[in-house]
Amino acid sequence: MSGIDRRSFFRIVAASGAATAAAGCGQTAEKLYPYVSPPENIVPGVAAHFATVCRECPVGCGVVAKNRDGRVVKLEGNPDHPVNAGALCIAGHSALQGVYHPDRFRGAMVDGKFAPWESAEKIVADKLGALVKARQGGRIAVVTGLETGTVAKLMDEWVKALGARPRIAYEPLALEAMRAANRATFGRDAIAHYAIEEASYLVSFGADFLETWLSPVGHAAAFAKMHALSAGKAGTFVHVEPRLSMTAANADRWVRNAPGTEAPLALAMLKVIVDEGLVAPGVDARALAGAVQGVDVAAVATQSGVPAETIKGVAHDLAASKSGLVLGGGAAVSGGNATDMLQAINLLNVAIGALGKRMRFGGDVARPSSYADMVALTQAMAKGEIEVLILGDVNPVYTMPPKAGFYEALAKVPMVVSLANRPSETTGKAHVILPALHWLESWGDHVAEAGVVGLMQPAMGPVEIAGKPVDGRSLGGIFLNLARLALGLTAEPGKGLFQTPTFADVVKAEWGAMAKDYGKGKPVAEFWEESLRRGGVWREAPGPAVSVRPEGLRVKAEAARLEGDGTHALLVYPSSRFYDGRFADRAWLQEAPDTMTQIAWDGWAELPTETAKRLGVGRGDLVTLVSPHGRVDLPAYPVDSLHPAAVAVAMGQGHAYPGTYAQSRGFNTGANPVTLLGPGPEAASGALPYLAVKVAVAKGTGRRSLAIPQATFDQDHREIAQHIGLGAARELELRGKPPEHASHPSMYPPVKYPDHRWGMTVDLDRCTGCQACVVACVTENNVPVVGREQVAYGRDQHWLRLERWEEGTPARPRNIFLPMFCQHCGVAPCEPVCPVYAAYHTREGLNGQVYNRCVGTRYCGNNCPYHVRRFNWFYYDWPSPLDLQLNPDVTVRQLGVMEKCTMCLQRIIEGKDRARDAGRKIKDGDIRTACQQTCPTQAITFGDLKDDGAQASKLSRSPRSYHVLEELGTRPAVTYLKKVTRDEGNPAGGGHKA
Amino acid sequence: MSAGTERAVTWADVNKDVERTVSMPGNTYFAWMCVVALTLAAGVVAWTFQIYTGMGAAGKRTPQMWAMYITTFVFWIGIGHAGTLISAVLYLFRAKWRTSIYRGAEAMTVFAVMTAGLFPLIHAGRMWFAYWLTPYPNQRYLWPNFKSPLVWDVFAISTYLTISVVFFIVGLVPDVAALRDRSTGIKRKIFAVIAMGWEGSDTQWKHYRRGYGLLAALATPLVLSVHSVVSFDFAMALVPGWHSTLFAPFFVDGAIFSGFAMVLVLILPMRYYFNWYPYITDKHLDAMAKLTLVTSLVLTYFYACEVFTAWYSGDHFERASVFAKATKQYAWAYWTMYFCNSVVPLILFWKKARTNVVILYIVSILVLIGMWFERFNIIVPGLGHDFYPYTWGTYVPTITDSTIIVGSFAWFFILFLGFIRVMPSLSIVEVKEVLPHPLKHAVHGAHQGGGH
Amino acid sequence: MAAAASVLGIFAHVDTTLQAIRDLRAKGYGDLTVYTPVPVEEIEEEIEHIRPHSKVRLFTVIGGVTGAATGFFLTIWSSLKWDLITGGKASVSIPPFVIIGFELTILFGGLATVLAVLLLGRLPKLRPSPTYDPRFTLDRFGVAVACPPDRAQAVSALLSAAGAEEVRR
């Protein structure tokens, strides 16, 4: 761990003291700010950091919440956490827009009207009590999202105690097929850990591991370790998918296969490996041979549209690499044969000797239930077998196919209780709403993976809306109290689980028990305190060794069957921004454009160019997709890269209830592709097959032009995003000679920098285009949300934009992602044109912008060749309580002034202050900008260019370094490192990591 | 010795002919005034709305952070130049034909610059702080950045306005004195104030003539510098198509070109309504038309240079910029400019066209349109296709900014229409000067015509 | 000697006026005021024998020089006072300052010139001089002679002889 991590560790305080302890059980009435007498660990004006666990998606990354004056203003990854190691994804950052969501329920509701919490609670408890007394507990059903650790345990105890139906942990993207496949192949009902960082040759069958698959942040970091050029070594990544996803765009070689042909392809590769005796030593080749008897590579080639040479080539390199790894099973490619596909992939991993090395099984941990369970429950509801349905923060009405009939079945349930804290399609049908507090306001813990237990503590009290804190309870607290009321118990410490006074106590007790196991005999109190500071406990938890079971060798080599007689296979893929749609009401995510299409604020249907031509539709023209189960109308987005027999639609848009904030800014467009799917689960795994239907594509009526800030993906030979072949890059690195930068003679003496010259480097070889930096910047710098119309008209306010530049051919596209922000030029064109010195050069090499002085001539905006300056065209507002999130260290810009990236000036100042307080000179790594801090692949580095030892100045002298539009002589302080491309014709690109 | 040959005009006639114009106007005049005033009101409302909602009300965006306001600003500054050229430069050259048009042209200059001066304000995101561009002592020791072309503008344009106004008023004094002596009541009092007790004594004339000459001598380099400085707003910038040493002469020539067109647009109706045919004769029109033609040809040369240098430089950005202007979304504006500025004026090679009022008028209008589009093409398409492909974009005008632009024309005409009915819009003194001087003994005929 | 009388001759023609002035000068009458509707070269030349050259240009030069000085002082002093680097240019960089210097030269020069015209031409003139006649702004010329009362008779005779259509005492 670098120095910064240890320091941040000490800055992280454990939640104790009035504010947060009270917040834990949600009973706080105290104001969040201003403090008359500040609680001990909240010093006005000084940030307190609380370590907790991000519960936005099922992964459970460790986060550190920055609390200023009682309210959380920023989330950052917990540097010590093994899953995300300090990084955080866009969704994680947007959690702040969840806790400060303008539509949050202010308190309990009964039949759509606000009611005192106790009375609402009583209505539910009475009903439950009656059912329990009548031995009718079976008519109670509980559906939550994936919950683990103490709260899961509590809820399951609760279910037992009341004799209710087993709780369903419903996750629309539960990857049931992976567990089914692992059951079949290895007899383990678990999801393996894939050590991507240890691989030198990575093949992915539609696993969008940089977007949503398993643990994207962790995977991105691992991918950078494995793939980015360092010390002359760089691994190779081959991605197989019909659509050019963001993950595919990061591949050295993207293999475009016919939709649903992953299983045959995997087996074909296995066959090649087996036939040519490339099976790793110590693996039973004969057994594998049995598995691929029927497979005919040539046939697969024609079926999948992937040339036999490609199949062979990839198989060769994979086996030859000695440290290969195969991933598979993204939702987009999970059809009715998902389990077969993943079994085949398992066998591939066995064949190349990845099993037990780069593919490992840890101990079992709680996993979501399968979609089939939801279907079963729905049927029970429809039959009227359910009296009380308790729904956690889930939205089945939106995420389940309508034909599954959940919506209709809800009407048959006499009492639907929702614990969600903001409106959704589902809460609309709830009779009673008991809003659970946001995870930033609650106690709890979460098991990310075997041996990694994150501890959650409230980082703030319940958020105040209109001067009144929202009336909610932590999820655990709600169940605790319901149990007491239903079973007629009282709160008495030490009298069993349900009588523990607060849920916080339950968690404490739970961790007390863990102390001897994890704490190596530390006193409980100390272990607790330390875990709170660290954000949890983690250790290696190796599971039992696994081996291939005979039945695991029986794999069907069929392609996925698609329902319907449409012309195109429908690819429904999880959105890298909205996941399954749960984040769609967050304006930050809506405004951050989708990396591949650069579309903001909208849904679209990705069409193959040929199809678009045939239908005579252009970008933005509406097209109608009709499946046997439904129809949607969407603006077309024609692309060359998509497989000609497919159309692709991302999940997440087209909500009936998008939330007032997003709505007021142009949202509520797009459509939900799940409505096109059939209700039937996959037999083998019980998963909902997302690759299941063919759709008929027709020209719709009218058009809805898409909001796309990037005018063109073609660089027009301007060498904005540059790349270099692996061979050349390696050679340069060996020579270690920095490239000549063009010299621009000046009639003025060079500018002197007495103390520092701040600068940045961006390694394009590491950037995966995940957009985390964009939203991190928005969060840190109070960047307003301008809405759909304004983004479409080139008035987005993002200080940092993530550009995608396209090269190569449709068959072998090359995409370079380039984060662009103020280049802080040494000879800045924007400065001398400002008539009032609002733009000027600071003594530390920053391109300063004095908002108060700006008159708004916008001359600087014209003269900036990078167009990274943003003008306040209108008044931009933050509807309450979103204004509580504003960073107090950063000015909110007023109407009519120019603004732009400041290299997080406030962080520079803070860093210098901290160094001064510690009575030492500032060190490299003391200061990290928001974008750098959150980057999972560490593509961005900030530092003092005057300090030769600084990482940033080292990198800026790299042989791959260049400046964007260098010929203009602006001498930027931001240096880019060329992306390293694998030499054509040699996908392996030579040299693997040992 | 050009004017007054059609019918024998005496000095007294001149006074009468001018006095006629300074009298209660008819209904047509007031009808026009109403139209103009309403248009102006609309413009004011639009501006108020823009100040209230923010610059977003105007269609500006990234990358076109400048658009129609600066276009029209440059347009009006350009218009002003012809006035100064006629009143100052031609004065120094002793070109007699200027005498009967220079007063109108000068008025046009003053009002055009006053109109142009509005646009930096309209354009600024926080116009209420626009005064920060001026160097004024303040307790915070904040000063403008004298390296910024915009500050140069402030100095150039305020100087230009001041000198033009002064020059204009000085020219008016003897004429107003003449009106004073032939009017009564309140009118007389007002004229008396403006005339400052002018009597035309030899001492007054002596200093007056000297001063007037020096002012003309100062105004001449000034008029050349002003539009050069305005052109620096672009030439000093990095934007492809802007960053060019060609701009100063290019702008000055364009300015004079458009200015002459505007003079014709204003003078021809005045000649008709005020029945000034004796003073503004075909010779005048011919001379003006010739100048228009010459400036047009020079302009065409500059256009050619612009394209040639873009190609010859081999600079990718410059080439792409020119190519985009000619072929991309704004091509129509580009070719409109060529047609109006380079093709249409060629008709003036034909002598009949140079004296045909209708043709002259149409040509002048087209030239004005063309010159507006010239500035538009420099700014909007230029910015729309510059260095960074990510942000290339198309500017779309809004009702607000269009209304403000139209309003600015109303502002100009309300000033001009007002002027011609209260002040001598024909220079009494200078016209007399070029008339045959009254002589008793014809032997002194050689001395006819004061100014040589 | 008693208070000077003044005699005014009103002429309709340039040549007669000129004649009158010549005769008066020949007779040694130096204190003349000539009124003309427009400036007439010949008359000016004639007058120049008895009047000094105009000093207006001196004002202009002084004004211009002051302007230039002001321009350069303001720019250089203020950039030293507020020493900010923009675009890698030295905070005192002369080339751009030349423009300010030039504009102020013209501005101050012009204003000084007008000031001169007013001061030297004794403008504004609050009440008309006794010898002034409104016709002088129309088409008549006037020659006013200030002379001892006893000479008035002779002067008027001289004027009428020169061709004055009217003579006043």
Side-chain angles (χ1 to χ4, degrees), chain A residues 646-993:
Chain A
V647 292
V649 181
M651 299 178 195
Q653 295 284 47
H655 282 263
Y657 184 84
T660 52
Y661 182 39
Q663 212 158 13
S664 67
R665 280 157 174 72
F667 173 66
N668 198 13
T669 55
N672 180 5
V674 175
T675 57
L676 295 171
L677 300 176
E682 180 198 359
S685 66
L688 169 65
Y690 284 102
L691 176 62
V693 295
K694 283 182 168 248
V695 291
V697 188
K699 190 180 201 299
T701 50
R703 61 178 278 109
R704 187 168 73 238
S705 56
L706 297 159
I708 304 178
Q710 180 159 7
T712 168
F713 298 108
D714 171 17
Q715 300 192 48
D716 185 37
H717 318 296
R718 292 168 190 227
E719 293 176 334
I720 286 161
Q722 299 184 13
H723 57 81
I724 179 173
L726 178 58
R730 210 185 267 120
E731 204 176 325
L732 284 171
E733 205 176 61
L734 293 179
R735 285 216 225 88
K737 185 168 140 297
E740 289 81 26
H741 292 293
S743 79
H744 299 281
S746 165
M747 61 184 287
Y748 295 107
V751 180
K752 300 256 181 307
Y753 301 102
D755 310 321
H756 311 284
R757 184 184 181 190
W758 306 118
M760 274 178 147
T761 57
V762 181
D763 189 344
L764 301 184
D765 195 33
R766 288 176 167 270
C767 180
T768 62
C770 73
Q771 298 263 2
C773 48
V774 174
V775 180
C777 174
V778 168
T779 319
E780 171 77 13
N781 293 306
N782 303 339
V783 174
V785 170
V786 299
R788 185 175 185 280
E789 291 310 314
Q790 297 305 316
V791 172
Y793 195 58
R795 287 174 179 170
D796 60 300
Q797 289 295 94
H798 286 164
W799 287 4
L800 194 173
R801 61 176 185 249
L802 206 138
E803 303 170 349
R804 176 175 75 90
W805 295 108
E806 211 168 60
E807 287 181 357
T809 62
R812 286 199 73 158
R814 174 186 297 129
N815 286 275
I816 309 180
F817 301 114
L818 179 130
M820 174 50 69
F821 45 91
C822 176
Q823 302 290 292
H824 294 271
C825 306
V827 181
C830 55
E831 290 165 356
V833 298
C834 177
V836 292
Y837 282 118
Y840 75 107
H841 211 60
T842 71
R843 296 270 174 243
E844 298 186 350
L846 292 180
N847 176 245
Q849 176 70 16
V850 188
Y851 306 130
N852 298 3
R853 181 66 170 164
C854 180
V855 176
T857 66
R858 304 187 294 288
Y859 201 168
C860 54
N862 283 348
N863 215 27
C864 171
Y866 311 94
H867 286 303
V868 290
R869 291 182 155 263
R870 296 280 171 264
F871 186 73
N872 285 264
W873 301 106
F874 298 100
Y875 295 96
Y876 302 111
D877 63 331
W878 281 261
S880 171
L882 280 164
D883 50 354
L884 296 183
Q885 179 275 325
L886 292 172
N887 182 353
D889 299 332
V890 177
T891 319
V892 174
R893 282 76 58 184
Q894 64 270 53
L895 173 83
V897 305
M898 194 62 80
E899 64 183 64
K900 61 162 192 70
C901 160
T902 64
M903 278 201 186
C904 288
L905 186 57
Q906 66 281 7
R907 285 170 174 247
I908 295 177
I909 293 165
E910 191 202 356
K912 288 199 285 190
D913 288 355
R914 224 183 298 118
R916 195 195 54 225
D917 296 350
R920 57 172 177 76
K921 290 178 86 20
I922 194 143
K923 287 204 308 291
D924 188 34
D926 279 0
I927 303 165
R928 305 170 84 209
T929 61
C931 49
Q932 167 189 24
Q933 192 283 332
T934 200
C935 181
T937 60
Q938 289 161 17
I940 304 175
T941 317
F942 171 89
D944 183 355
L945 299 181
K946 284 195 76 186
D947 167 7
D948 287 346
Q951 185 64 7
S953 45
K954 284 208 199 96
L955 287 169
S956 65
R957 294 192 299 269
S958 149
R960 287 190 289 132
S961 68
Y962 76 97
H963 293 143
V964 175
L965 299 180
E966 185 157 5
E967 59 271 50
L968 300 182
T970 53
R971 303 182 198 172
V974 179
T975 307
Y976 288 83
L977 271 63
K978 294 175 186 166
K979 184 181 178 68
V980 177
T981 55
R982 304 304 181 257
D983 315 349
E984 293 293 314
N986 172 14
H992 308 296
K993 294 196 176 181

Side-chain angles (χ1 to χ4, degrees), chain B residues 95-110:
Chain B
K96 292 197 197 117
W97 64 270
R98 72 179 263 288
T99 54
S100 50
I101 55 166
Y102 92 91
R103 175 65 46 76
E106 231 172 20
M108 175 189 81
T109 298
V110 171

